[in-house]
């Protein structure tokens, strides 16, 4: 998920725009319609991460209070323009979705999709997903985590900026309920190899995920995007990783990371990469 907005220098913006990031800046402006949606609907549907360094740390999210019900909750990291987010939420009305993004025009577009389609199961946070994962998501609270097409940071010297590292996978596993699903997709071959290596070498004595071999508690079907044709023309194939936090009785089985990733044909949403 890239950050595409400008930095407000009047506040400490490190939580919205970290100094060393897993996303890149790109400017973006709102259309008149998006600005209206933002002003009228964002206060209800979304929130910015706190930027005041003197502010008391925010408490972990109370999902039943946030969504007004008790339901399985999915965290989507890097919702981009929100097209896939809205489509999947519409197909799963009994699942709540928390979308994390830094690209304001993308969030504004998602706000519009929510409004036009009368979706009640999406909430949004604008800010760094690592801050959200670390500070706001309680352990063992998520039924699913979706990371679709994270920025590959292809140059070797930038690999440390990739969102998916061994520590991040462990953190995600800890936030999942036992049986919860981590679904990753990338169209970058080198990043796919990187992810596969991390998943295959997880320590089994801490929070970890294993390949999913039973029915998923959430949908694994991603809608295609307008970028699919471009991906096909450029010869990019999508690698998908579908893993789950083991149930307690399965925890001793190890990471099981040797199972190959599934390769599917899909496009790349270019905005909103963590």
């Amino acid at each position: 998920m890239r950050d595409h907005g400008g930095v407000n220098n009047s506040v400490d913006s490190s939580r919205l725009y970290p100094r060393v990031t897993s996303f890149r800046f790109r400017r973006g402006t709102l259309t008149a319609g998006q600005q209206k949606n933002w002003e009228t609907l964002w206060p209800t549907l979304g929130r910015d991460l706190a930027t005041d360094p003197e502010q008391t740390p925010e408490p972990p999210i109370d999902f039943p209070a946030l969504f007004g019900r008790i339901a399985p909750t999915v965290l989507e990291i890097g919702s981009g323009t929100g097209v896939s987010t809205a489509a999947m939420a519409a197909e799963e009305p009994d699942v709540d979705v928390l979308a994390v993004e830094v690209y304001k025009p993308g969030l504004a577009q998602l706000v519009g999709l929510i409004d036009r389609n009368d979706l009640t199961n999406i909430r949004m946070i604008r800010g760094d997903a690592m801050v959200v994962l670390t500070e706001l998501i309680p352990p063992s609270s998520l039924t699913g985590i979706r990371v679709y097409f994270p920025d590959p940071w292809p140059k070797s010297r930038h690999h440390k900026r990739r969102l998916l590292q061994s520590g991040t996978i462990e953190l995600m596993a800890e936030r999942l309920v036992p049986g919860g699903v981590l679904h990753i997709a990338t169209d970058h071959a080198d990043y796919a190899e990187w992810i596969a290596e991390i998943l295959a070498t997880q320590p089994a004595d801490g929070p970890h995920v294993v390949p999913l071999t039973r029915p998923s508690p959430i949908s694994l079907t991603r809608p295609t995007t307008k970028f699919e044709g471009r991906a096909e023309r450029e010869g990019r194939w999508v690698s998908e990783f579908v893993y789950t936090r083991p149930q307690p009785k399965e925890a001793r089985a190890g990471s099981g990371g040797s199972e190959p990733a599934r390769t599917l044909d899909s496009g790349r949403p270019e905005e909103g990469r963590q």
Side-chain angles (χ1 to χ4, degrees):
M1 183 169 61
R2 292 176 184 149
D3 177 18
H4 306 282
V7 176
N8 181 352
N9 293 320
S10 65
V11 297
D12 178 357
S13 301
S14 61
R15 290 160 62 82
L16 283 176
Y17 311 103
R19 182 175 56 84
V20 178
T21 68
S22 58
F23 50 81
R24 284 179 268 183
F25 290 90
R26 194 180 74 186
R27 294 189 180 277
T29 57
L30 304 188
T31 66
Q34 289 175 337
Q35 184 64 38
K36 180 179 179 180
N37 285 338
W38 190 266
E39 293 172 357
T40 59
L41 299 175
W42 177 254
T44 300
L45 298 174
R47 58 185 279 198
D48 289 346
L49 282 179
T51 56
D52 185 348
E54 303 300 324
Q55 182 171 323
T56 302
E58 298 177 84
I61 296 172
D62 181 339
F63 288 116
L66 180 64
F67 288 94
R69 65 176 183 174
I70 297 175
T73 303
V74 171
L75 176 69
E76 181 173 352
I77 297 177
S79 55
T81 57
V83 174
S84 295
T85 308
M88 296 182 79
E91 290 296 320
E92 291 186 294
D94 295 329
V95 173
D96 291 333
V97 178
L98 178 62
V100 180
E101 178 56 78
V102 291
Y103 179 47
K104 186 175 179 180
L107 287 169
Q109 181 169 326
L110 179 53
V111 166
L113 291 170
I114 293 170
D115 184 47
R116 289 193 296 275
N117 294 284
D118 295 321
L119 300 175
T120 61
N121 58 333
I122 300 177
R123 299 293 185 271
M124 295 159 283
I125 295 180
R126 185 180 182 221
D128 181 16
M130 287 304 298
V131 175
V132 174
L133 273 171
T134 303
E135 300 182 14
L136 301 186
I137 304 297
S140 301
S141 63
L142 297 172
T143 302
I145 299 175
R146 291 170 176 150
V147 187
Y148 296 157
F149 306 97
D151 196 310
W153 289 100
K155 295 182 180 179
S156 296
R157 67 178 182 271
H158 293 156
H159 285 181
K160 64 183 178 181
R161 298 187 179 187
R162 287 176 168 175
L163 172 70
L164 298 172
Q165 310 277 347
S166 58
T168 312
I169 296 296
E170 181 177 354
L171 178 62
M172 291 178 176
E174 187 178 46
R175 269 45 183 169
L176 289 171
V177 299
V181 171
L182 171 62
H183 186 189
I184 302 169
T186 180
D187 62 351
H188 191 275
D190 177 69
Y191 204 2
E193 293 179 4
W194 168 283
I195 295 167
E197 176 66 18
I198 291 172
L199 291 170
T201 56
Q202 300 170 84
D205 56 354
H208 65 284
V209 289
V210 299
L212 180 68
T213 58
R214 62 181 63 186
S216 173
I218 61 172
S219 175
L220 302 176
T221 302
R222 295 182 298 99
T224 56
T225 72
K226 66 180 181 180
F227 299 102
E228 182 174 2
R230 181 191 300 179
E232 291 180 2
R233 291 192 298 272
E234 295 181 1
R236 298 196 307 271
W237 296 93
V238 175
S239 295
E240 300 207 36
F241 304 85
V242 183
Y243 277 63
T244 183
R245 181 177 181 179
Q247 301 283 354
K249 65 180 180 180
E250 300 171 334
R252 293 188 297 273
S255 65
S258 60
E259 181 170 306
R262 293 183 295 158
T263 300
L264 303 177
D265 186 8
S266 182
R268 171 164 66 183
E270 301 231 324
E271 286 88 16
R273 293 181 157 207
Q274 276 279 4

